[in-house]
Amino acid sequence: MDDSDRQDLHEGMRIVGAALSGAGIPFALAGGFAAWVHGAPQSEHDADFVIREQDRSTAWEALSETELRVVDPVENWLFKAYKGEALVDIIFRLDGEPVPDEIFDRADSFDVFGVPMPVMQATDILSEKMRVLTEQRCNFSDLLPVARALREQVDWAEVATRIEGNPYAEAFLFLLDELGVVEHPARSGAVGQLGNAVGGPTHGGHAGGQAPGERTGRQIRPDDAGGSSGEEPARARIA
């Protein structure tokens, strides 16, 4: 992603956040940029927002009134909004199910690129990234830096419960234990208390222990963000 595309993406995120908020639609920033807000490495992927399935039409109309180009793809779990060539995904189904209201209830508000917006909680971010791991999409090298950065903000016992039955996600949790990133909840006896699996809750941070944004209103500015093989099944995913 070059600087021009990155600027377009950040502007697209601002437009989406402001438009959804103005329309009174519950939403949350998700995926790689949500992880970045919580302290993970900067994202070079498209941006993701989640909304309720029943708000799809209202969100479409709100974004269609902006300068963004709104597109309805063949997938039945999202639609897309473009600022130039930069893409923002608007997701209303996760792993085949409507986005649950609890995700919006748990989201915290951050100032992202100058626009206040809800951001998905760290436990939800990791859970969703792990739940969509498949044989065709099982790149642990992308997921490992996120898990390392967010580990103290994640309720790993809750993650273990949500990913149960997905062998690829369970293998990644085992890998985290083997690497000493976190202790596997089954071995540690951790309970579902946010952060207690690996330590007290924190807002995360980049190098030097400083997060790109805080709930106290610190802004996340554009200059804070620098610059799989096989066929993937048509299923909801958050990059």
Side-chain angles (χ1 to χ4, degrees):
M1 181 182 296
D2 61 27
D3 289 343
S4 177
D5 287 340
R6 187 175 294 110
Q7 290 174 5
D8 281 346
L9 180 58
H10 297 169
E11 179 62 16
M13 292 169 62
R14 284 192 286 263
I15 293 171
V16 169
L20 294 179
S21 180
I25 298 171
F27 74 97
L29 178 64
F33 273 99
W36 171 73
V37 169
H38 287 292
Q42 58 197 13
S43 177
E44 291 293 321
H45 295 286
D46 304 329
D48 298 315
F49 286 79
V50 290
I51 62 172
R52 300 184 305 178
E53 187 169 27
Q54 61 263 40
D55 292 328
R56 180 197 180 282
S57 296
T58 306
W60 175 284
E61 293 173 2
L63 296 182
S64 295
E65 294 174 357
T66 72
E67 64 188 85
L68 301 180
R69 177 167 55 93
V70 184
V71 177
D72 204 4
V74 295
E75 297 91 344
N76 64 355
W77 47 273
L78 84 167
F79 65 88
K80 299 174 181 289
Y82 288 89
K83 168 67 175 174
E85 296 301 314
L87 170 62
V88 179
D89 285 331
I90 313 298
I91 299 168
F92 48 86
R93 295 180 70 87
L94 293 172
D95 202 23
E97 299 292 334
V99 178
D101 288 344
E102 291 78 13
I103 280 185
F104 309 110
D105 294 338
R106 290 189 292 261
D108 295 310
S109 181
F110 290 83
D111 198 328
V112 182
F113 302 132
V115 176
M117 63 181 71
V119 177
M120 188 182 283
Q121 187 193 59
T123 299
D124 291 324
I125 295 169
L126 261 296
S127 295
E128 294 307 322
K129 283 180 171 291
M130 293 170 67
R131 277 178 2 113
V132 298
L133 290 173
T134 66
E135 183 175 357
Q136 291 78 21
R137 187 174 186 269
C138 194
N139 189 347
F140 290 172
S141 64
D142 287 341
L143 194 50
L144 184 57
V146 177
R148 287 187 187 277
L150 272 58
R151 60 184 177 179
E152 293 185 2
Q153 302 173 66
V154 173
D155 181 345
W156 291 102
E158 176 65 20
V159 170
T161 298
R162 295 187 195 179
I163 67 172
E164 187 174 1
N166 182 326
Y168 305 99
E170 291 175 341
F172 182 69
L173 188 55
F174 175 79
L175 176 64
L176 293 179
D177 181 81
E178 288 293 296
L179 293 175
V181 177
V182 298
E183 188 173 22
H184 196 292
R187 186 160 64 84
S188 65
V191 296
Q193 182 69 29
L194 180 62
N196 281 356
V198 290
T202 178
H203 298 305
H206 292 275
Q210 191 171 30
E214 299 174 353
R215 297 174 196 169
T216 54
R218 180 182 169 198
Q219 294 188 359
I220 300 174
R221 300 182 177 86
D223 55 1
D224 287 330
S228 76
S229 64
E231 183 178 354
E232 181 182 346
R235 63 186 298 181
R237 66 179 180 86
I238 295 185

